[in-house]
Each structure stands twice: as structure tokens, then as C-alpha cells.
Amino acid sequence: THVEGFSYGVEVPRDVWSEQLSNVFGVAVTLYDCFLQPNNSAVIGGHVPNGTRRCAGNDAQGCYTEPYKVFRKCVGNPGGRPAN
């Protein structure tokens, strides 16, 4: 059975929800965020371990024991404003 986790809206500086899915439950994750810029987030910028090693729990910028993919797309209201 293939299981994949999803995270919509990455928090700064890291996305703890997707890290937990990866590191605790062994689930590959897909992250969607259109607001964070790659230079403001290590995970959006692809600068954290991505399914390459076990995480020690002290990685300040994040760590993923399972692969993650990032898509710079809005999946909600594109302006980030409440819908009328």
C-alpha cells in the first residue's frame, strides 16, 4: 500500500507536521506553499536532508528521513485573503 502525506502552507522556518509524517510514520510527503520564498525557508529551498539519512532530532532547519517534494503553488484562495 502506498501512503503519502500532504502539507498545505509551510510554517517558517520549518514544517513540523510534514517532518513528523516523514520521521515518525515513515511517510513521503508533498508540500504546497505559494507564499514562502526559497531563500526564506530551508525546506522550500531544498536545503534540508531529503530522505537521505536518519534524523537525530536536533536539525535546526528540519530533516526528512523519507523523501519530500515541494510545489510552489497555492491550493486555496490565491491572494491569501478571505473569500467573499
Side-chain angles (χ1 to χ4, degrees), residues 14 19 23 49 53-63:
R14 59 199 290 179
E19 285 184 60
N23 302 340
R53 65 175 171 84
R54 298 300 305 165
C55 298
N58 59 355
D59 296 285
Q61 294 187 356
C63 182

Side-chain angles (χ1 to χ4, degrees), residues 66-84:
E66 300 297 323
Y68 73 87
K69 298 177 280 187
V70 173
F71 292 95
R72 305 257 311 120
K73 297 185 181 272
C74 283
V75 294
N77 189 4
R81 297 176 297 273
N84 293 335

Side-chain angles (χ1 to χ4, degrees), residues 15-70:
D15 189 53
V16 176
W17 166 251
S18 61
E19 285 184 60
Q20 292 292 310
L21 290 173
S22 173
N23 302 340
V24 175
F25 298 105
V27 173
V29 292
T30 301
L31 299 93
Y32 292 91
D33 191 285
C34 63
F35 297 107
L36 283 178
Q37 298 301 315
N39 59 338
N40 293 335
S41 170
V43 68
I44 296 293
H47 303 296
V48 300
N50 186 357
T52 57
R53 65 175 171 84
R54 298 300 305 165
C55 298
N58 59 355
D59 296 285
Q61 294 187 356
C63 182
Y64 292 78
T65 58
E66 300 297 323
Y68 73 87
K69 298 177 280 187
V70 173

